[in-house]
Amino acid sequence: MRIAILVRSSIFAALVFPGNALAQKIESIIDIYGDVHGNYLMNPKSVAIDASGNVYVAGTSTDNVFKVQEIGLATEILDQTAGGVGAELLHPRSITVDRLGNLYVAGLHSDNVFQVSPDGEVTLILDERGDGKGNILDAPVSIAVDEDLNVYVAALISDNVFKVSTNRDVTQILDAEGNGAGNRLDWANAVDVDALGNVYVAGYNSGNVFKVQADGDISTIIDTSGDGLGNTLEHANDVAVDDRGIVYVTAGSMGDAFISEPRRERNVFRIDRDGKIDQIFDHSQLEDGVDIKDPTGVAVDTNGAVYVAGSQSHNIFKIEPDGELTELANVEGSGGDHYLYRPRSIAVDHRGVVITASFGSRSDVFRIVPEGVEVQPLLDTGEAAFYSHGVLSVPAIKVGNEFYSLEIRFVRNFVFSYWELVSYKKVDPPNTETYAELRGDTVFIPKMLYSAQYYSVELKTTATEPSVRFSVKEVAPIESPQ
């Protein structure tokens, strides 16, 4: 019997160089099982967080969007039918949320943008017709919204940016001509907007960032020359602007997932309001064995700290205003089977709580909570074991008055199939009331998740020589959480 098992995990990490350790808590708040009622989440590329701590995540391969409350309760709020408004949602690539709690979702393959109100009403606000004047929308890849609730949409293939006003007037504010003076826009890959309504657009292939002022004036604030000191901007991955109008740009190679030698370009630039450009990610500060490869998503908090996702290095960095670098998370994620793999998007709220997601693996979405920040604890839904790639892991088994962790591997040959011991070691008591128990020669697992249904499982020792083996003694369905 093949068993897939899930456990919500949380570890504490402190990986800092140089400087003092920054204690934090890393938690997986949703993964491939989505709402655990049959609505799965696969390959999230965009995340957002609102003022109440609710997290939003888009599944590009499952064509849906989830809302995850701070306690970890997940609800699918949009699927491929897009609420029945007459248009489909395909490959949601970008999401953002405004100050009133309205969510905006861009369908990369359906060439449209939806608004989802806090009460769940869905409205189609932009489709492939663009402005209706011949300027089409092809592959919307990034969304931003200003304080006046105007929405800005960058389209990758049509090389343009649209503004959608609150009364749903659509205007093209930037096209492939760029600034009209020779600096063209090729692959509009990211968009953001500042408090004054100035819009910033990153051109991936053109290696530049444009500023579009409210009066329509267009200027290039950085191009392929980067900072002019040899630190170049070949590909502009993402752009973010803070409350002071300072712009941050990540430079990396967006699509080279399987290249063994990463491109040399691994830069993060800061452009101040006077146009001064600085490279703010200095690799000389990193310890041996730690690096950033393909910096993609970038976000900035209210204190001016910058957060960067390293897609190919599977990590998240924080850059303090004084330049101090901190690796907040790495490929280990929150521990166990919850890896951080190819993070593409990053979001941060007013408390400094960071949200990011794994593109692939178990599609985990992680919450990184700084020391001293209080968040509501995740609901303990009681998973006591998990399974991945043929290995079943039980983090805590009570044996008398002590606790042990167990890992067993599924083995199949032409004659037999069984579970073989991988590791068994003493561990500290868990900080949850849900754990497995050894009863005689049987390990009783009170709750596991498999294919959106919860089960209890009993594993029986069947042999001790030449190696310890187990078999599945009993599997019984139990009621799923509401």
Side-chain angles (χ1 to χ4, degrees), residues 54 68 111 124 126 169 171 185 221 247-249 266 287 304 318 322 326 374 410 476:
N54 299 305
V68 186
D111 299 322
L124 177 67
L126 187 63
D169 288 336
T171 307
L185 173 66
I221 62 172
V247 181
Y248 303 88
V249 183
R266 292 168 289 173
E287 292 184 344
K318 178 181 181 180
D322 63 4
T326 305
E374 295 292 331
F410 187 67

Side-chain angles (χ1 to χ4, degrees), residues 24-145:
Q24 62 199 2
K25 187 176 185 181
I26 305 175
E27 301 173 304
S28 172
I29 60 173
I30 185 174
D31 62 16
I32 192 171
Y33 291 98
D35 62 6
V36 302
H37 292 292
N39 299 308
Y40 292 89
L41 170 69
M42 291 183 64
N43 296 329
K45 278 190 177 180
S46 186
V47 294
I49 184 170
D50 67 20
S52 300
N54 299 305
V55 173
Y56 304 85
V57 54
T60 59
S61 297
T62 41
D63 300 322
N64 55 3
V65 179
F66 291 90
K67 176 182 178 180
V68 186
Q69 297 177 36
E70 194 167 78
I71 59 174
L73 184 62
T75 306
E76 186 187 64
I77 61 173
L78 197 64
D79 62 15
Q80 186 175 331
T81 66
V85 297
E88 285 188 318
L89 172 66
L90 301 175
H91 200 96
R93 179 60 180 84
S94 180
I95 58 176
T96 193
V97 61
D98 68 23
R99 60 181 173 80
L100 300 182
N102 297 298
L103 180 71
Y104 302 88
V105 183
L108 183 73
H109 294 167
S110 48
D111 299 322
N112 47 22
V113 178
F114 300 91
Q115 180 194 69
V116 184
S117 69
D119 62 4
E121 181 181 0
V122 180
T123 305
L124 177 67
I125 66 170
L126 187 63
D127 61 20
E128 69 277 1
R129 295 171 295 178
D131 62 5
K133 301 176 182 179
N135 301 307
I136 65 169
L137 176 74
D138 192 348
V141 72
S142 182
I143 316 175
V145 59

Side-chain angles (χ1 to χ4, degrees), residues 91-374:
H91 200 96
R93 179 60 180 84
S94 180
I95 58 176
T96 193
V97 61
D98 68 23
R99 60 181 173 80
L100 300 182
N102 297 298
L103 180 71
Y104 302 88
V105 183
L108 183 73
H109 294 167
S110 48
D111 299 322
N112 47 22
V113 178
F114 300 91
Q115 180 194 69
V116 184
S117 69
D119 62 4
E121 181 181 0
V122 180
T123 305
L124 177 67
I125 66 170
L126 187 63
D127 61 20
E128 69 277 1
R129 295 171 295 178
D131 62 5
K133 301 176 182 179
N135 301 307
I136 65 169
L137 176 74
D138 192 348
V141 72
S142 182
I143 316 175
V145 59
D146 65 21
E147 287 298 306
D148 295 325
L149 308 185
N150 299 301
V151 181
Y152 303 88
V153 182
L156 195 69
I157 304 301
S158 50
D159 298 319
N160 53 5
V161 178
F162 292 96
K163 175 182 177 180
V164 184
S165 69
T166 54
N167 60 7
R168 300 295 181 257
D169 288 336
V170 180
T171 307
Q172 180 180 263
I173 63 171
L174 187 66
D175 62 17
E177 293 299 317
N179 67 354
N183 289 311
R184 295 179 59 81
L185 173 66
D186 189 359
W187 271 30
N189 197 44
V191 63
D192 203 1
V193 59
D194 67 19
L196 299 178
N198 299 306
V199 180
Y200 302 86
V201 183
Y204 178 76
N205 282 341
S206 48
N208 49 17
V209 175
F210 296 95
K211 178 181 179 180
V212 184
Q213 296 182 186
D215 62 6
D217 182 68
I218 301 171
S219 58
T220 307
I221 62 172
I222 188 171
D223 59 23
T224 54
S225 63
D227 62 3
L229 300 174
N231 302 305
T232 60
L233 175 63
E234 184 179 349
H235 298 286
N237 261 340
D238 199 9
V239 62
V241 59
D242 68 14
D243 295 338
R244 300 165 296 170
I246 298 175
V247 181
Y248 303 88
V249 183
T250 52
S253 47
M254 179 177 64
D256 300 332
F258 302 105
I259 292 179
S260 59
E261 291 296 325
R263 296 185 182 183
R264 65 184 182 277
E265 187 182 44
R266 292 168 289 173
N267 299 328
V268 182
F269 294 100
R270 177 180 60 207
I271 303 115
D272 68 18
R273 287 175 296 183
D274 296 325
K276 184 176 182 295
I277 302 172
D278 292 299
Q279 179 188 246
I280 62 170
F281 199 110
D282 185 354
H283 294 269
S284 67
Q285 292 179 262
L286 298 178
E287 292 184 344
D288 290 342
V290 179
D291 202 353
I292 188 168
K293 300 175 184 177
D294 191 15
T296 50
V298 62
V300 57
D301 68 20
T302 54
N303 296 317
V306 181
Y307 303 82
V308 180
S311 177
Q312 313 259 343
S313 48
H314 316 297
N315 52 6
I316 302 295
F317 283 92
K318 178 181 181 180
I319 309 171
E320 299 284 1
D322 63 4
E324 181 183 28
L325 291 176
T326 305
E327 187 184 50
L328 296 182
N330 59 26
V331 69
E332 293 181 359
S334 60
D337 197 33
H338 296 266
Y339 302 109
L340 176 63
Y341 180 72
R342 293 179 64 193
R344 309 289 308 183
S345 178
I346 193 166
V348 59
D349 72 1
H350 61 283
R351 302 168 296 178
V353 174
V354 178
I355 306 297
T356 192
S358 286
F359 180 72
S361 186
R362 291 179 62 94
S363 296
D364 284 279
V365 177
F366 295 99
R367 179 171 70 189
I368 306 172
V369 184
E371 182 183 26
V373 173
E374 295 292 331

